[in-house]
Amino acid sequence: MFDKILIANRGEIACRVIRTAKRLGIRTVAVYSEADANAMHVAMADEAFLIGPAPAADSYLRTDAILDAIARSGAQAVHPGYGFMSENAGFAESCAQAGVTFIGPPVEAIRAMGSKSESKRLMDAAGVPLVPGYHGAKQSVGELTAEAARIGYPVLVKASAGGGGKGMRVVTEESGLAEAIASAKREAKAAFGDDSLLLESYLAKPRHVEIQVFADTQGNAVYLFERDCSIQRRHQKVIEEAPAPALSDHVRRAMGEAAVAAAQAVNYVGAGTVEFLYQDGRFFFIEMNTRLQVEHPVTEMITGLDLVEWQLLVASGKPLPLEQEQLTRHGHAFEARLYAEDPSRDFLPAIGRLTHLEPPVENRHVRVDTGVRQGDEVSMFYDPMIAKLIVWDEDRDAALRRLRRALADYHVAGVTTNIGFLGAIAGHAAFAAGEIDTGFIERHRADLLPPPVPVPALGLAFAALALLLWRDEEAARAATRSGDPHSPWHQTNGWRLNDDNHHDFRFMDGAESCPVTVHFVRDGWRLDLPGGPLSARRATLAGRTLTAEIGGERRTATVVQSGLDITVLHDGQTWRIKLDDPSAKAADRDAGDGRLAAPMPGTVVQVLVKPGDTVTGGQPLIVVEAMKMEHTIKAPADGTVAEILYRVGDPVAEGADLLVFEAAQ
């Protein structure tokens, strides 16, 4: 076994590997960019080395910088995590040339499975069933169009070197194919440095089921059961579970054996995942990921095994700890991926500081894998994952209850998150019934992504009471510091001459003004709210946790204030309001001024119009790439493009005006 390993990654997965290494007595070395100098994985590691500026291309993707850190640290092996260098055959080869063990599969296996086209050829030869499609070298629009016609629409356009849904498009008819090819090629080139594509028949209602495989250097290979990853959006996994529900034992075994055959076909070593589409009792190979998957914790929860420990054992030359017949599973597990993103804005990644971060309490049923702490910054440079929330229980129904409760108990403020969206999925009747496939989110979109509603009276009441109690605390501190602690000027009871004691608050819910008056009454307060009065009493505040009897019910919420922004977190819901600031309100730009802004920091990759063009509502105007995903800015109505403010290749800040648009009269 190794004495010291370097983790060539960051964030949650780096922290995950460090935890296992520490348990095994292995010293750990972190690498970090300038943006990650104070990151959690850096603090956890025994040593850490700066490898470059914030952009991943200048730091985490620099082979020379990482190899230099390996040499300086004396690490014997490097764990690549997932993403970044994990499936980079050139990096693995460089490690071998430097005499350092790459904790992953052989270079030849990475190369074979790194190309979706080559992997499908190998799987076909090994007898693993494939989705009908085209995996050839001909890449012109005309040739791909001819192949799509042969396969039949709808087709899936897919980056050959890709993963994570990047460079992937569903095309329902030939008229949309050329644009999809161009867009997928750009995204694939930016994400993977390779714009080659493949085509597959798009199955109507498939499930995405993957098999965890492991192989050692002695020729042993096993499968550690399956995971269902069907709950996806844009082909990116949202919630995963293990085992996959409603599969027969025959299908489970057949898929597991096919996955082992796939691994053996490329002389695989280490942890890998073989992914299948399953529909109507049949399954088809789609790809193999030659690394540890993001969702590996659900397999750990049902098997009781540490897959990172298995990786370290295999990489050090030891045989697999268990044979196939010794592997067992127990219970059911879910993993939900918590992201800083805005579901109401088509899941645009969000950036900002985590002003409040309170995960649910961890125990044998609840696990939180994260790489951030309260106060950390979610930046534009990296994946905006906050954490993976993993739950386990004896069966699926019990585990799903755990998931719903844990999501409700996960409190995040400072950035917009997808927690409410995850809670909507976990609480959906169809999900509870196991009626899942890759189209689940789109099919139930109206339920999962309802239109925004005003902040309810309860949210306003929590905010007003919290402000009131915070003022009491500050006044008490000021009185203690003063020369006359009993002065009436320290009182906060809202005393008025010729009027009852009260405080007036004014909040903004978007553009809506929400006045709240808090009257002091004998046994508490009466709150005059936009929807009518509410009584409140017995309110206590412990830090940011407010407990009060409101409207005759005892309730608890977390209330976070940052400047004028107030976030109320209660029972899985998040309400955001602002203290009304007339000067800030006057400075707000009129939303109807004809300008279109960048939804987040990024780079302009395509300008589809020119000044003077007449366009129709919904017509694409500019394409911005952010976090390796493309976002198309469309015309809000019929009108004319008056001015274009950026060119292809220009960086843009969030909120920057991209063009001037004049709506038709």
Side-chain angles (χ1 to χ4, degrees), residues 118-130 261 265:
E118 175 64 11
S119 66
K120 283 177 167 51
R121 187 187 67 77
L122 291 169
M123 294 305 101
D124 193 27
V128 179
L130 303 178

Side-chain angles (χ1 to χ4, degrees), residues 390-658:
I390 308 104
V391 299
W392 174 91
D393 214 312
E394 295 290 336
D395 57 40
R396 190 176 190 269
D397 286 346
L400 190 52
R401 282 197 303 273
R402 298 275 182 190
L403 179 61
R404 289 193 292 264
R405 177 58 188 267
L407 285 167
D409 290 345
Y410 215 123
H411 292 168
V412 182
V415 297
T416 304
T417 75
N418 67 338
I419 291 177
F421 173 67
L422 296 172
I425 296 173
H428 200 282
F431 186 72
E435 298 169 4
I436 55 176
D437 58 69
T438 56
F440 180 91
I441 289 176
E442 202 55 43
R443 186 165 59 253
H444 298 290
R445 190 177 185 86
D447 298 332
L448 303 177
L449 295 165
V453 296
V455 173
L458 182 62
L460 298 173
F462 275 130
L465 290 172
L467 288 172
L468 204 65
L469 295 180
W470 279 327
R471 288 184 180 183
D472 286 348
E473 290 179 352
E474 179 55 37
R477 286 192 294 269
T480 301
R481 294 191 300 265
S482 72
D484 183 6
H486 303 293
S487 168
W489 299 110
H490 298 308
Q491 294 183 19
T492 57
N493 60 3
W495 182 83
R496 298 284 196 284
L497 181 65
N498 299 325
D499 199 355
D500 69 339
N501 293 10
H502 68 271
H503 279 297
D504 292 314
F505 298 106
R506 187 173 295 275
F507 302 106
M508 296 299 297
D509 177 12
E512 293 297 316
S513 177
C514 303
V516 178
T517 300
V518 182
H519 300 272
F520 290 76
V521 297
R522 180 175 310 197
D523 61 346
W525 305 271
R526 187 185 81 248
L527 283 71
D528 290 341
L529 299 154
L534 267 181
S535 64
R537 60 179 185 163
R538 297 177 183 155
T540 60
L541 192 63
R544 291 167 167 171
T545 302
L546 173 66
T547 302
E549 184 181 297
I550 302 175
E553 296 183 24
R554 196 74 171 161
R555 297 174 179 270
T556 298
T558 297
V559 185
V560 182
Q561 184 177 13
S562 178
L564 298 176
D565 294 318
I566 297 176
T567 303
V568 179
L569 303 140
H570 170 67
D571 195 25
Q573 300 181 82
T574 301
W575 300 309
R576 296 179 181 85
I577 53 177
K578 283 182 178 289
L579 272 175
D580 190 6
D581 180 348
S583 61
K585 183 177 179 181
D588 280 346
R589 175 179 292 165
D590 177 24
D593 66 356
R595 294 179 182 270
L596 296 174
M600 63 175 298
T603 303
V604 174
V605 295
Q606 200 173 15
V607 177
L608 304 172
V609 290
K610 62 184 184 296
D613 280 359
T614 300
V615 297
T616 57
Q619 180 176 332
L621 306 176
I622 288 183
V623 180
V624 176
E625 180 193 273
M627 295 184 178
K628 296 184 179 178
M629 296 294 285
E630 290 189 354
H631 305 278
T632 302
I633 311 302
K634 299 179 180 179
D638 294 350
T640 304
V641 176
E643 185 179 1
I644 297 172
L645 304 175
Y646 288 89
R647 296 176 298 179
V648 172
D650 285 349
V652 293
E654 180 177 7
D657 295 325
L658 298 173

Side-chain angles (χ1 to χ4, degrees), residues 24 70 77 104 200 265 272 277 279 289 396 551 558 573 578 587 633:
L24 298 176
I70 294 170
E200 289 179 350
L277 290 179
Q279 183 173 295
N289 290 295
R396 190 176 190 269
T558 297
Q573 300 181 82
K578 283 182 178 289
I633 311 302

